[in-house]
Amino acid sequence: MSESLDDFRARARSWLQENVPEHGSPMEGPESREYALAWQKRQFEGGWAGLTWPQAYGGKELSVLQQIAWFEEYARAKAPSTHNALFVGMNHAGPTLIACGTDEQKAFHLPKIMQGEVIWCQGFSEPNAGSDLASLRTKGLVEGDELVVNGQKIWSSYADIGDYQELLIRTDPASSRHHGLSWVICAMDTPGITVRPIKTMAGPAKYAEVFYDNVRIPLSNIVGGLNNGWKTAMATLSFERGTASLALQISLSQRVEELIAANDDAGVSDTLMDLRADAAALRAMSYQFAIKSETGPVGSEGSMIRLYFAELAKRVASASIDIFGIGAPQVLAEHGLGFDYFDSYSETIAGGTAEIQRNIIAERVLGLPRGSR
Amino acid sequence: MSIFHASAEQLELVESFVRPLEELFPVARLHRAEHTDYDNWVTAAEFGWFGISLPEEAGGIGLSVVEEALLFAQFGRHLISPGFMAASLAAKTASLSGNDELAQKILGGEIPVAIARQTAAGITLVDAENAKLCLVISAEGTKLFPVEAIQQRALLDRTQWSIALESAALPGNPIAQASEEDIGASINLLIAAQLTGIAAATLEMAVAYAQIRQQFGVAIGSFQAIKHYCTDMVMNVQAAKDMLSFSAVAMAGNQPDHRFQVASALVVATRAAFFNTGKNIQIHGGMGFSAECDAHLFLKRAHVLETLAGGLKASRAALRAENSIFGKDAAFTG
Ligand SMILES: Cc1cc2nc3c(=O)[nH]c(=O)nc-3n(C[C@H](O)[C@H](O)[C@H](O)COP(=O)(O)OP(=O)(O)OC[C@H]3O[C@@H](n4cnc5c(N)ncnc54)[C@H](O)[C@@H]3O)c2cc1C
């Protein structure tokens, strides 16, 4: 007999109550790695890992309504942000392997991700290939049953604490643009890799430069086929925001409520009410999207929710600084509003800038003609 | 699946309701000064449009506010007179006052109703020239008056906002009334629905034009500035539509936070309608600025509906008074 939704919710709530770590994550470095892995392990042991993943790979394959209930309770319990060092593994690499990986790749990697044993990072962007990802130049030449990789990636989040990287490289030297690329699993301890952490405007070193000097990667680490990497990469990007972002979206509503509770000044009330209504609309949109995605492919609508979220997160963060002022204790604190505010500037850059998202929505949702880029 | 959103069956049902709209209410009719939507009043009553969410015993159709909201979004698209919303709210007001006979007559189309908003000075009547009853909305709720009881009526204008506006003094005793608590969410939901329809109609108009209008040898829709306006418009529409459906489902299920959801829907839809109607004019260039183009009609109607809701500022203040389930002491429910 299957559990009712209310019982499921109650079970999630009480588990979270007992298990959510008391302290927030350390901001960077090995401590942040240990924290993230320990939290993932605990969720796995409690039976709360891989909720959206197929059962064939040890996932729970929950219904959308259960996922929603879980993430509502997750946000309510103020559990660690899902936008942490586990994000790439849980939300990009895992789903990409499920969609495009070989049986061996899935059997080896998926349990490690779910059980909190490994951190993944993403190596797509390069100094000269950002929005124009297809212009990337890091090379991998086939030598026997290996690829020999040379080049440089940048802005790779958590690369300094990562075990594996989703690495997108040019494996056909004669190719250009999105032809001749490959998506490979790169073990970060392979000889020839140098990682240089980069500090962000919010303080911590969250992302890194990665240099590859004759790095040898087995051909069996290619995901989705040699020279077919663009397709795999597009799959990865489409997983960028799954239902995991529901928890982030709900915490946005919570933050707006905290601002409203803290503020009675009529001057900013209009702004706060717009934020409140928009956060409610974001929730309505995400639930609609989640419900629809359970019954069939949903196309590029996800880009709208992603962009709506990004811009709303920035507005909420900026309103909190207006309300409290730059010197307030809750602004200056570690994990405080000041950190959130600075960090929010990345929302409209990381994972495809707001401008690029707008191009995508205009062309794929509205069907407007492609322009020159 | 309908705990959060309108179900496929509900959407389908409303599809069947809206089929006659394009023929009966083409937007172009608003360019003719002599047109009046009250010509189709009885037809609308016969379709059951005034009593979608009232029970069948009370003369309604016996569906829910979800179907009603979806239908009124279509009314918004077609710029149907706010009098049609007055009919629905008047029937509810009569029924809440225990006057079922009056409710039945309104639903049957026997007594055309107009809508008005109470202001500091008195009341502002909208499209009231063919009505026999007038439903006055205020922050306290609704009051229903016979039109002949309304004194000092003066035509303010009939062209500027593309609809007749009159001022009048607030009359004395209503023949029926409903408190804000009982009817406020219904008012806000129907206005939010029409504003959502306006936002959607102007998005479609803008995108269609951006695909056919050529400058510099290419469709203007290939220019990023135009694309990005259109993207903001479609996000507004998505947000307003989903918020409308979500809030209507919450209201139909009498969820504890339904007033919060509906108040949010009104704020989101109002801002969506203003943004989209404005950008639609911009995207149409010189033609968008002309009286001949439909674009201004949508902008003007958005203002009229916003006024009937009491103004965006008041809508925000009303939202402030509600509790979110994400607030401090609030409990989450499924
Ligand atoms: C916090 C953070 C984490 C990140 N993590 C990772 C990661 O883990 N792995 C990874 O590979 N990358 C990561 N990135 C990189 C990110 O994907 C890129 O920064 C992003 O794609 C933009 O590329 P760029 O920085 O080269 O900017 P550019 O592409 O140079 O863009 C500069 C400006 O030009 C605009 N622009 C560019 N092209 C167009 C166009 N066609 N139309 C309109 N405007 C345009 C952009 O919108 C932007 O405003 C991260 C970035 C941040 C901020």
Side-chain angles (χ1 to χ4, degrees), chain A residues 31 39 53 69 76 85 141 151-152 159 161 170 180 194 200 216 232 260 262 274 295 316 335 350:
Chain A
E31 298 81 15
W39 171 233
W53 288 13
R76 180 177 188 274
L141 293 181
Q152 181 192 353
I161 57 168
R170 191 163 297 285
T194 311
T200 75
R216 296 186 163 266
T232 313
I260 292 170
D274 286 353
T295 51
V316 170
H335 293 288

Side-chain angles (χ1 to χ4, degrees), chain A residues 227-244:
Chain A
N227 298 337
N228 194 30
W230 186 253
K231 216 172 148 205
T232 313
M234 288 304 105
T236 306
L237 294 178
S238 76
F239 299 128
E240 176 92 24
R241 300 269 156 157
T243 41

Side-chain angles (χ1 to χ4, degrees), chain A residues 21-358:
Chain A
E22 213 173 298
H23 301 287
S25 170
M27 288 290 191
E28 59 183 357
E31 298 81 15
S32 71
R33 172 190 163 90
E34 288 323 308
Y35 182 97
L37 291 177
W39 171 233
Q40 182 61 29
K41 199 177 290 287
R42 191 183 285 194
Q43 289 180 92
F44 176 76
E45 284 162 0
W48 300 104
L51 303 186
T52 61
W53 288 13
Q55 281 175 356
Y57 304 108
K60 298 274 180 253
E61 236 176 283
L62 294 187
S63 75
V64 155
L65 293 180
Q66 285 172 314
Q67 290 174 37
I68 288 174
W70 164 257
F71 287 116
E72 282 185 349
E73 292 302 324
Y74 191 97
R76 180 177 188 274
K78 300 219 163 18
S81 168
T82 51
H83 214 179
N84 63 2
L86 297 162
F87 187 83
V88 176
M90 291 302 304
N91 295 289
H92 282 189
T96 305
L97 291 176
I98 290 169
C100 314
T102 63
D103 287 342
E104 292 74 38
Q105 289 166 347
K106 290 188 241 200
F108 182 82
H109 287 287
L110 294 177
K112 285 191 188 330
I113 296 173
M114 227 176 336
Q115 294 170 22
E117 288 173 13
V118 291
I119 299 287
W120 277 70
C121 59
Q122 181 193 19
F124 280 18
S125 305
E126 296 181 4
N128 288 310
S131 300
D132 185 12
L133 182 60
S135 68
L136 68 86
R137 287 195 289 226
T138 297
K139 267 204 224 15
L141 293 181
V142 181
E143 260 187 46
D145 54 4
E146 287 179 329
L147 285 168
V148 181
V149 177
N150 281 286
Q152 181 192 353
K153 294 288 173 180
I154 196 166
W155 318 128
S156 182
S157 305
Y158 312 112
D160 57 332
I161 57 168
D163 301 283
Y164 293 99
Q165 186 179 48
E166 8 178 81
L167 181 59
L168 190 63
I169 49 177
R170 191 163 297 285
T171 41
D172 175 357
S175 69
S176 69
R177 308 294 304 160
H178 49 279
H179 306 284
L181 304 176
S182 295
W183 195 110
V184 296
I185 302 167
C186 171
M188 293 301 283
D189 59 1
T190 317
I193 295 179
T194 311
V195 178
R196 267 215 305 260
I198 304 172
K199 281 192 173 302
T200 75
M201 66 177 273
K206 183 169 165 183
Y207 45 27
E209 261 178 315
V210 185
F211 301 88
Y212 309 80
D213 181 12
N214 289 315
V215 174
R216 296 186 163 266
I217 301 175
L219 284 177
S220 58
N221 278 17
I222 294 174
V223 177
L226 183 70
N227 298 337
N228 194 30
W230 186 253
K231 216 172 148 205
T232 313
M234 288 304 105
T236 306
L237 294 178
S238 76
F239 299 128
E240 176 92 24
R241 300 269 156 157
T243 41
S245 54
L246 286 178
L248 296 171
Q249 294 165 0
I250 292 165
S251 52
L252 212 50
S253 284
Q254 292 172 316
R255 281 166 60 193
V256 174
E257 293 309 316
E258 283 161 16
L259 291 179
I260 292 170
N263 171 69
D264 260 321
D265 171 4
V268 290
S269 186
D270 282 356
T271 310
L272 283 177
M273 287 311 114
D274 286 353
L275 294 176
R276 192 181 210 193
D278 289 350
L282 175 65
R283 178 169 175 240
M285 285 164 93
S286 319
Y287 288 13
Q288 179 76 288
F289 185 75
I291 291 167
K292 275 193 197 158
S293 42
E294 198 173 37
T295 51
V298 275
S300 307
E301 271 174 41
S303 288
M304 291 200 265
I305 296 177
R306 193 190 164 313
L307 179 56
Y308 199 94
F309 170 81
E311 298 192 331
L312 184 59
K314 278 177 88 168
R315 286 161 60 208
V316 170
S318 143
S320 70
I321 300 302
D322 288 347
I323 286 169
F324 291 106
I326 62 169
Q330 55 273 67
V331 170
L332 298 171
E334 198 190 23
H335 293 288
L337 297 171
F339 173 81
D340 286 348
Y341 170 63
F342 295 136
D343 206 45
S344 75
Y345 279 84
S346 72
E347 291 288 359
T348 47
I349 301 172
T353 66
E355 291 73 25
I356 294 298
Q357 299 292 339
R358 282 189 162 77

Side-chain angles (χ1 to χ4, degrees), chain B residues 144-181:
Chain B
L144 197 53
F145 300 96
V147 158
E148 61 273 9
I150 296 175
Q151 315 269 307
Q152 299 171 40
R153 282 177 71 176
L155 182 68
L156 296 170
D157 187 78
R158 93 158 37 91
T159 52
Q160 186 167 41
W161 298 97
S162 295
I163 200 159
L165 299 181
E166 294 172 63
S167 66
L170 184 69
N173 289 333
I175 55 171
Q177 58 186 321
S179 68
E180 199 282 333
E181 209 172 293

